[in-house]
Amino acid sequence: MSSPVPEHLQADCSRCAALCCTALPFAASADFAVDKPAGTPCRNLREDFRCGIHGQLRESGYPGCTVYDCFGAGQQVVQVTFGGRDWRRSPGEAAQMFAVFPVMRTLHELLRYLTEARALPQAAPLHDELDDALAATDRLTRLDPAGLAELDVEAHRREVSELLLRVSERARPQGRNHRGADLVGADLRGARLRGANLRGALLVGADLREADLTGADLIGADLRGADLAAADLTGALFLTQAQLAAARGDARTTLSEPLVHPSHWPQRAESARRRRRKR
């Protein structure tokens, strides 16, 4: 993906009301230190809607927070759907706000993928259909709270997913089909996965060091804990920054703009020192 992600599809926490920290549930696990039910503010949330441990989330047992991306849905719900109101100042609307947030998040995620697909040269024959899907999805994001609550968002996701798959098939070189495959902990070091269909694949903890993933379709792939050191992800389709943040990599991992190496990955100097120690 060479085109930048549009601003409205990037999370802007300053214009939200910590919806991801309140509306969503999480369970005590490797991703979260404690249980939290849906609709309950995280115990680390401050009165100003900021996180009290934002700079130490990983060290404090909340790495799951560092890899979440609402794709700009949070500010859309607060600023547009609810006209700038938040759940603290308008507690009577809190339940409705929390209910529509996941719906909006799905719509914004689809917009992000459709925007990427539209920018691919190979998608030119599908431009009219992509434009229609973009316009239809954008219209749905502008529904009022009641309309969003009633929306069958999964039906819309399935429809868009089929279109994105057609784009993927045009854009990818012929590769292996691992769609939805259970590859948890798999030894894929050095694997030739160029142009592979890895849509929705479970790659949790997989060893993908030095793997060739150029042009692979990674939409929805679970990369938590996957080792991408020295892997080549050039031109990978529908890969998000959040997926990279959930994985491990190093300075040798190759990405296409606008994706960047997450800050917690070893930097170039650290990688070099480690190589010298091995010698």
Side-chain angles (χ1 to χ4, degrees):
M1 182 181 179
S2 58
S3 59
V5 178
E7 185 175 350
H8 72 286
L9 299 180
Q10 299 178 47
D12 182 353
C13 298
S14 69
R15 301 180 64 232
C16 184
L19 292 183
C20 63
C21 307
T22 309
L24 306 179
F26 53 71
S29 61
D31 293 320
F32 300 101
V34 297
D35 293 324
K36 188 193 82 64
T40 301
C42 174
R43 65 184 186 182
N44 299 306
L45 185 64
R46 302 188 322 202
E47 287 298 315
D48 62 358
F49 296 118
R50 295 180 181 272
C51 175
I53 59 169
H54 187 266
Q56 298 83 38
L57 282 167
R58 289 183 176 275
E59 298 84 348
S60 301
Y62 291 85
C65 296
T66 69
V67 303
Y68 180 79
D69 189 351
C70 77
F71 301 101
Q75 66 258 29
Q76 178 74 12
V77 169
V78 172
Q79 301 299 330
V80 179
T81 311
F82 286 88
R85 301 184 298 279
D86 65 66
W87 51 270
R88 280 198 171 123
R89 291 181 296 174
S90 303
E93 295 181 295
Q96 193 174 39
M97 191 177 294
F98 298 158
V100 304
F101 173 61
V103 177
M104 188 68 74
R105 196 266 183 189
T106 297
L107 294 173
H108 271 237
E109 182 180 23
L110 294 176
L111 285 174
R112 189 260 187 229
Y113 293 142
L114 286 166
T115 300
E116 176 179 346
R118 182 63 172 76
L120 294 170
Q122 302 92 330
L126 299 173
H127 276 180
D128 288 346
E129 290 180 71
L130 287 166
D131 289 342
D132 288 345
L134 278 163
T137 306
D138 182 68
R139 283 195 298 271
L140 293 177
T141 69
R142 301 181 189 282
L143 290 173
D144 62 17
L148 286 166
E150 295 171 358
L151 178 65
D152 187 348
V153 73
E154 289 307 313
H156 186 67
R157 185 206 290 271
R158 289 191 294 272
E159 184 178 336
V160 171
S161 181
E162 288 303 312
L163 176 57
L164 292 174
L165 178 59
R166 290 164 59 199
V167 172
S168 173
E169 289 170 344
R170 286 179 174 275
R172 285 184 292 118
Q174 290 294 325
R176 301 178 186 178
N177 185 6
H178 295 296
R179 183 176 185 178
D182 185 349
L183 297 169
V184 175
D187 183 1
L188 297 169
R189 182 168 186 174
R192 299 184 64 182
L193 295 168
R194 181 182 180 86
N197 182 349
L198 289 161
R199 297 166 67 89
L202 299 177
L203 290 159
V204 180
D207 184 355
L208 288 161
R209 288 176 292 172
E210 302 170 357
D212 181 3
L213 289 155
T214 55
D217 185 341
L218 288 161
I219 192 169
D222 192 339
L223 293 170
R224 286 177 297 166
D227 193 342
L228 297 172
D232 190 350
L233 290 147
T234 304
L237 299 175
F238 310 121
L239 177 64
T240 68
Q241 196 63 47
Q243 285 172 293
L244 292 174
R248 294 177 291 141
D250 63 13
R252 300 168 296 165
T253 306
T254 308
L255 305 172
S256 292
E257 294 181 349
L259 299 172
V260 297
H261 290 180
S263 60
H264 65 278
W265 285 11
Q267 301 302 308
R268 190 176 304 276
E270 294 174 350
S271 299
R273 282 198 296 272
R274 289 177 184 175
R275 289 197 294 271
R276 285 197 294 270
R277 288 194 195 105
K278 289 180 181 179
R279 292 177 191 153

